[in-house]
């Protein structure tokens, strides 16, 4: 009898345990579910300095129901009307970004969803104070992807998001993505994502560089011939930081120097001779490799910078250049080496002038001699970096001339 009571109790416990497991499995998939209509899909965030010590945060959210719609026509792109902006902007003043998000959610009936965020834009004034306090909030968000692009505005981030006009029927985040892709293909600047930025911030002996954006006027003609003016997005430069603060923007040649030293110039074009009024030819870079080696001397540091480039002739503008002649091919290679040397030197000079190690020279010392770096890291930027010497070696090889060797000439 006692054994029967024990077995019945055990059976009840087993049944109860199985019921609990089944209920937990049925409920676990939906306990924290949030309906789509209750979310605000944030595609871009702009951060500017506000009065006193606060910030002005601009949230750009997509409106799903407006995608593909137009004024005077139906959805699906068949109405033939003027496309409706499928996004909205909300600007909030607060003490910090975290408070701004809470205030945004109080004013907006929907919760902020940062999983859809494509870009974070820091205004110039706020970036010159420091970029790190405002970005700290996003490092702690589980849904914030490390692939989000980080930009610095030449001016105010709010103006970029409110006044800039994307392509018809799209929103700025889509336009940024296409611009980044084109810039990477031609190797003019290097877009920086959130993960890359944080990696450089937390590494010893390097200051981050960051993609710069500004508004540029664009004039076009409508179908009826009327003049149409709008503000478009322009990305053609990079900003450099020193200990988390923006210190300057690079010129185009200096930005290209950074690209060469990073070894990421494949796809770019070099026009030779450099700075010539009438260029001879355009040369496309198919592959590039760079190597930076620090040399310790009694008087300081010498950095041996080696750059190897392979490419081909994209176009020839000078009629007396004959690509069938080895001497002419070598002449173009030499001019390309000179052009690359000038751009690399421009980047090095800018780094020394600003006392900002955005080229990562200090990091090379840290990698090769950690003990020495520990002794000089506190004084590296202001005492050692301005006096570094460089030995730059550029080697270019043109492997192809395209379908023709001679430039196009009229028949006499």
């Amino acid at each position: 009898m006692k054994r029967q009571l024990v077995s019945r109790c055990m059976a009840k416990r087993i049944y109860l345990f199985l019921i609990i497991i089944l209920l937990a499995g049925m409920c676990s998939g939906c306990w924290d579910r949030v309906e789509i209509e209750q979310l605000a899909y944030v595609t871009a965030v702009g951060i500017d300095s506000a009065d006193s010590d606060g910030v002005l945060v601009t949230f750009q959210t997509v409106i799903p129901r407006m995608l593909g719609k137009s004024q005077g026509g139906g959805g699906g792109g068949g109405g033939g009307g003027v496309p409706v902006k499928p996004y909205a902007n909300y600007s909030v003043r607060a003490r910090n970004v975290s408070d701004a998000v809470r205030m945004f959610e109080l004013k907006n009936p929907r919760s902020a969803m940062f999983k859809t965020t494509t870009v974070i834009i820091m205004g110039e004034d706020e970036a010159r104070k420091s970029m790190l306090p405002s970005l700290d909030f996003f490092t702690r968000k589980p849904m914030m992807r490390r692939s989000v692009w980080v930009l610095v505005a030449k001016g105010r981030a709010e103006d970029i998001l409110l006044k800039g006009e994307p392509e018809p029927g799209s929103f700025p985040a889509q336009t940024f993505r296409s611009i980044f892709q084109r810039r990477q293909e031609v190797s003019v600047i290097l877009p920086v994502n959130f993960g890359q930025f944080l990696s450089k911030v937390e590494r010893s002996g390097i200051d981050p560089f960051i993609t710069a954006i500004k508004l540029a006027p664009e004039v076009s003609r409508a179908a009826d011939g009327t003049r149409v003016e709008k503000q478009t997005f322009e990305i053609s430069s990079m900003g450099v930081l020193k200990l988390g603060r923006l210190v300057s923007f690079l010129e185009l040649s200096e930005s290209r120097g950074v690209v060469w030293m990073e070894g990421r110039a494949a796809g770019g074009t070099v026009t030779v001779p450099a700075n010539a009024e009438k260029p001879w030819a355009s040369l496309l870079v198919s592959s590039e490799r760079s190597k930076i080696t620090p040399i310790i001397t009694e008087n300081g540091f010498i950095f041996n910078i080696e750059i190897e480039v392979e490419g081909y002739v994209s176009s020839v503008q000078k009629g007396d250049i004959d690509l069938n002649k080895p001497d002419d091919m070598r002449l173009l290679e030499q001019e390309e080496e000179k052009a690359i040397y000038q751009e690399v030197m421009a980047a090095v000079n800018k780094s020394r002038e600003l006392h900002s190690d955005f080229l990562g020279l200090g990091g090379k010392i840290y990698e090769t001699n950690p003990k020495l770096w520990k002794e000089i890291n506190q004084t590296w930027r202001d005492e050692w970096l301005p006096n570094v010497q460089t030995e730059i070696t550029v080697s270019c090889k043109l492997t192809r001339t395209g379908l023709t060797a001679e430039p196009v000439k009229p028949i006499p």
Side-chain angles (χ1 to χ4, degrees):
M1 187 69 178
K2 186 175 181 180
R3 289 182 178 178
Q4 291 179 350
L5 290 174
V6 171
S7 62
R8 288 178 182 177
C9 290
M10 289 295 295
K12 289 181 179 180
R13 290 179 180 178
I14 293 173
Y15 291 147
L16 181 61
F17 179 71
L18 291 174
I19 290 172
I20 292 173
I21 292 177
L22 289 173
L23 288 175
M26 294 171 63
C27 297
S28 62
C30 60
W31 70 272
D32 62 344
R33 183 181 65 183
V34 180
E35 299 293 339
I36 293 177
E37 294 79 5
Q38 298 175 351
L39 297 173
Y41 296 95
V42 180
T43 58
V45 179
I47 306 171
D48 291 297
S49 291
D51 298 334
S52 64
D53 295 328
V55 293
L56 175 69
V57 183
T58 302
F59 302 91
Q60 190 166 90
T61 63
V62 66
I63 308 174
R65 68 177 183 275
M66 303 304 294
L67 291 171
K69 290 191 176 182
S70 60
Q71 295 177 355
V82 179
V84 177
K85 287 185 177 181
Y87 61 90
N89 294 300
Y90 302 88
S91 294
V92 180
R93 292 179 182 270
R95 294 177 300 175
N96 51 54
V97 175
S98 180
D99 287 352
V101 173
R102 301 286 81 79
M103 293 176 65
F104 166 75
E105 293 180 332
L106 288 174
K107 295 180 179 180
N108 195 302
R110 298 174 178 86
S111 300
M113 166 65 76
F114 289 101
K115 196 172 184 178
T116 54
T117 303
T118 301
V119 61
I120 301 172
I121 305 175
M122 188 75 67
E124 184 176 347
D125 289 344
E126 182 68 11
R128 289 191 182 278
K129 292 181 181 179
S130 180
M131 294 187 62
L132 304 184
S134 294
L135 292 178
D136 179 81
F137 168 81
F138 299 103
T139 65
R140 305 175 189 277
K141 294 293 290 183
M143 291 188 177
M144 179 59 67
R145 294 172 292 114
R146 291 299 188 263
S147 59
V148 172
W149 301 111
V150 181
L151 302 168
V152 60
K154 288 187 174 181
R156 293 186 65 79
E158 181 188 28
D159 293 338
I160 300 292
L161 295 177
L162 269 61
K163 298 179 181 179
E165 297 188 37
E167 298 172 357
S170 66
F171 43 92
Q174 291 177 313
T175 303
F176 296 148
R177 189 183 299 114
S178 62
I179 293 175
F180 288 149
Q181 184 176 359
R182 289 196 297 269
R183 291 297 182 272
Q184 282 183 303
E185 289 173 353
V186 299
S187 300
V188 175
I189 55 99
L190 296 176
V192 178
N193 64 39
F194 195 32
Q196 293 168 336
F197 178 83
L198 293 177
S199 175
K200 288 191 174 182
V201 167
E202 295 172 351
R203 282 169 55 192
S204 187
I206 188 169
D207 290 306
F209 55 80
I210 187 171
T211 313
I213 184 171
K214 68 176 183 178
L215 293 177
E218 182 180 281
V219 180
S220 60
R221 295 286 178 180
D224 57 1
T226 58
R227 179 186 174 93
V228 179
E229 296 184 10
K230 66 177 183 178
Q231 296 286 328
T232 59
F233 308 108
E234 181 177 298
I235 297 176
S236 60
S237 178
M238 294 189 292
V240 294
L241 281 66
K242 178 183 178 182
L243 299 175
R245 292 179 172 86
L246 175 70
V247 291
S248 183
F249 293 101
L250 300 182
E251 299 294 335
L252 179 59
S253 61
E254 297 163 347
S255 297
R256 291 262 298 181
V258 176
V259 177
W260 291 117
M261 292 188 67
E262 288 277 325
R264 296 165 62 183
T269 301
V270 180
T271 301
V272 297
N275 305 318
E277 293 184 4
K278 295 182 179 180
W280 297 351
S282 294
L283 312 175
L284 196 141
V285 178
S286 56
S287 65
E288 189 241 338
R289 185 179 67 87
S290 66
K291 181 181 180 181
I292 303 174
T293 305
I295 301 172
I296 304 170
T297 68
E298 294 180 357
N299 299 321
F301 299 92
I302 299 175
F303 287 87
N304 185 10
I305 303 171
E306 300 174 76
I307 296 176
E308 296 180 3
V309 177
E310 285 191 6
Y312 58 89
V313 179
S314 178
S315 65
V316 176
Q317 291 83 45
K318 191 176 181 182
D320 59 354
I321 289 183
D322 187 353
L323 301 183
N324 288 312
K325 297 180 178 178
D327 289 344
D328 285 7
M329 286 288 285
R330 182 54 193 152
L331 178 62
L332 292 181
E333 292 172 346
Q334 290 173 345
E335 291 297 330
E336 184 179 17
E337 290 168 358
K338 292 178 184 178
I340 295 171
Y341 178 91
Q342 291 177 14
E343 291 178 341
V344 172
M345 202 67 228
V348 172
N349 288 336
K350 195 68 172 182
S351 177
R352 292 191 290 210
E353 174 192 338
L354 298 174
H355 298 194
S356 169
D357 196 0
F358 56 88
L359 298 175
L361 301 180
K364 298 298 180 181
I365 299 175
Y366 172 73
E367 292 172 3
T368 56
N369 197 330
K371 185 178 180 180
L372 174 62
W373 176 252
K374 188 176 181 180
E375 297 175 4
I376 66 171
N377 65 346
Q378 296 299 323
T379 58
W380 165 249
R381 291 175 177 84
D382 295 323
E383 295 184 16
W384 297 97
L385 180 60
N387 300 308
V388 298
Q389 302 298 314
T390 57
E391 294 179 355
I392 303 173
T393 304
V394 183
S395 174
C396 296
K397 181 67 176 177
L398 295 175
T399 58
R400 290 181 289 143
T401 63
L403 294 178
T404 60
E406 297 182 359
V408 178
K409 298 178 181 179
I411 299 176

